[in-house]
Amino acid sequence: EAGVAQSPRYKIIEKRQSVAFWCNPISGHATLYWYQQILGQGPKLLIQFQNNGVVDDSQLPKDRFSAERLKGVDSTLKIQPAKLEDSAVYLCASSLDPTTSAISYEQYFGPGTRLTVT
Amino acid sequence: GNSVTQMEGPVTLSEEAFLTINCTYTATGYPSLFWYVQYPGEGLQLLLKATKADDKGSNKGFEATYRKETTSFHLEKGSVQVSDSAVYFCALGPNYQLIWGAGTKLIIKP
């Protein structure tokens, strides 16, 4: 089965520019997550979708970050305008719907997008 | 609240040495526990998991046992290889969000 796909793999932008990341989850996975991973730290959840609805976006800096998941499949995460502190790896993950699956909350990750803001 | 504490790294071992990476947790209820591995330049991969007390997860020679009495899920491997060099994350799944440890970098020298 195909894994979680993300693009681009690397992006370098200047501060105050905008950037967008794309994620295609594993087929049939209802839940999609975007994480921010700063070098040397664990992943920080930015937003979680269940199908095309937002379950949790409490840690998403909504003044500059936005995300959508149209049609409950692909998702995009946008930063506008970027700041230096946004330099990180942005990880997308997906999982089965935990309300219907007997498999307990196993998340599958994409390769990530490494963002450098200069 | 829920939390995960991992031993700080880096952990440096020689090839064929025995590995233990400690992970303890605080949680209410009966969460699932996971170990994820991140190889250089790659995303996170699930290494093993355990869904209830006394379960043992295992994969690629790594093992971890869900110990409710000590609230621990320590990762072990009997004989490490250079290819095991990576960052290892312990995670807690009380619901469909994961609580992550800070990660432990493992360096294996030939």
Side-chain angles (χ1 to χ4, degrees):
Chain A
E1 112 188 320
V4 176
Q6 288 188 249
S7 67
R9 290 294 309 276
Y10 305 92
K11 189 74 177 180
I12 301 174
I13 61 172
E14 295 181 352
K15 59 184 179 184
R16 291 186 290 273
Q17 287 187 323
S18 63
V19 64
F21 312 125
W22 173 82
C23 173
N24 179 245
I26 291 173
S27 177
H29 280 194
T31 309
L32 186 147
Y33 312 79
W34 282 104
Y35 289 90
Q36 180 191 60
Q37 187 179 21
I38 293 172
L39 188 64
Q41 298 182 18
K44 170 189 167 185
L45 180 68
L46 293 176
I47 189 167
Q48 177 183 345
F49 291 95
Q50 184 74 12
N51 296 308
N52 59 351
V54 176
V55 173
D56 185 351
D57 62 356
S58 57
Q59 297 194 86
L60 187 73
K62 298 180 186 63
D63 58 332
R64 297 184 301 105
F65 286 65
S66 64
E68 61 182 7
R69 190 184 185 196
L70 299 176
K71 301 180 181 178
V73 182
D74 292 6
S75 177
T76 56
L77 175 70
K78 297 179 181 178
I79 307 175
Q80 182 179 12
K83 293 186 175 181
L84 295 175
E85 60 260 34
D86 298 332
S87 294
V89 176
Y90 291 84
L91 296 166
C92 179
S94 69
S95 69
L96 292 167
D97 181 349
T99 63
T100 61
S101 170
I103 299 175
S104 54
Y105 318 128
E106 182 172 325
Q107 295 183 18
Y108 296 82
F109 284 80
T113 298
R114 182 176 298 278
L115 174 67
T116 302
V117 182
T118 63
Chain B
N2 299 312
S3 67
V4 174
T5 303
Q6 284 183 242
M7 64 187 293
E8 287 191 23
V11 172
T12 303
L13 295 172
S14 298
E15 206 166 20
E16 299 184 3
F18 184 86
L19 168 71
T20 300
I21 300 178
N22 290 339
C23 172
T24 57
Y25 68 90
T26 302
T28 55
Y30 302 94
S32 295
L33 295 169
F34 304 86
W35 276 102
Y36 279 82
V37 59
Q38 189 171 34
Y39 297 103
E42 298 185 14
L44 288 151
Q45 301 174 27
L46 178 66
L47 181 58
L48 53 85
K49 65 181 180 183
T51 59
K52 60 182 187 296
D54 300 326
D55 265 4
K56 178 185 283 189
S58 62
N59 186 25
K60 298 181 180 180
F62 289 90
E63 292 183 339
T65 302
Y66 189 155
R67 303 282 190 200
K68 195 162 178 66
E69 65 276 13
T70 55
T71 63
S72 66
F73 192 56
H74 304 323
L75 182 67
E76 296 181 335
K77 186 175 184 182
S79 177
V80 292
Q81 306 299 315
V82 172
S83 57
D84 294 326
S85 297
V87 181
Y88 292 81
F89 291 91
C90 184
L92 173 73
N95 49 43
Y96 46 80
Q97 290 186 5
L98 294 179
I99 310 297
W100 295 86
T104 303
K105 184 173 184 177
L106 176 65
I107 301 169
I108 307 300
K109 296 187 172 181

